[in-house]
Amino acid sequence: MVDGSNRRSASIEDYVRAIYGLEERGEAVTNTSLASRLEVSPSSASGMVTKLAQQGLVEHVPYRGIELTSDGRGLARSVLRRHRLIESYLVSELGYTWDEVHAEADRLEHVVSDLLVARIAAKLGDPVRDPHGDPIPAVDGSIEEVSTRLLEDLPTGTVGEIVRVWDTDPELLRYLADRAIGLGERIEVVEHQPFGGSVVVRVGPAPAAATHALGREIARALSVATR
């Protein structure tokens, strides 16, 4: 176990985590998409990508864009393990709500020691999902895979369980919480309104399920395990 003094810089960790996040969602990783995700200029993103490539953490793949190498993926999962365990601890032990933890974890993930991360994991019973349903990588970098589909892609009549919320926007998370739309809830697709309209769903156990018309941003943020 190391104390974290041999880690990469915080900016490098932020970039590989951002690239991993875009890859995880199946989105193209370009200097432009990275700049948007990290709220930096495209030129800054380009310069950092060059640095990452020089360190063997990313490579440019023709027609596919920027991809993490094996070393880059391992680093990203190490950062994600710290980030998601911190989020889990803040909710479980310190009374934070799921809309409050992302920014806190962003700050803490670069400074906590590996010993503290191990103690947090042990205290929480080695969880495999964080408060948003995101998978927590194991110490060896492995991840428990769960077959899911985005709510937006589910046909009318589908019944399933909400298992992940992709968006970290506090306002979106509060919107969901205020309507009891959370992890583990039963969800049924009632209707896809035409011309790019809302997805109408019933959430909660029948027959007391509540009906909601959810916009596309939310429909793209909820992952559902179907039954």
Side-chain angles (χ1 to χ4, degrees), residues 1 9 14 31 34 42 49 65 79 91 96 101 112 118 122 138 159 168 173-174 192 211 215 219 223:
M1 192 74 68
S9 70
D14 285 342
N31 291 331
L34 266 178
V49 168
V79 179
V91 169
Y96 280 68
V101 293
V112 292
V159 176
T168 57
L173 293 172
R174 284 192 289 272
H192 286 268
T211 300
S223 275

Side-chain angles (χ1 to χ4, degrees), residues 24-41:
E24 197 176 25
R25 292 217 57 167
E27 299 179 19
V29 185
T30 64
N31 291 331
T32 301
S33 65
L34 266 178
S36 175
R37 191 176 183 93
L38 291 166
E39 299 181 340
V40 299
S41 68

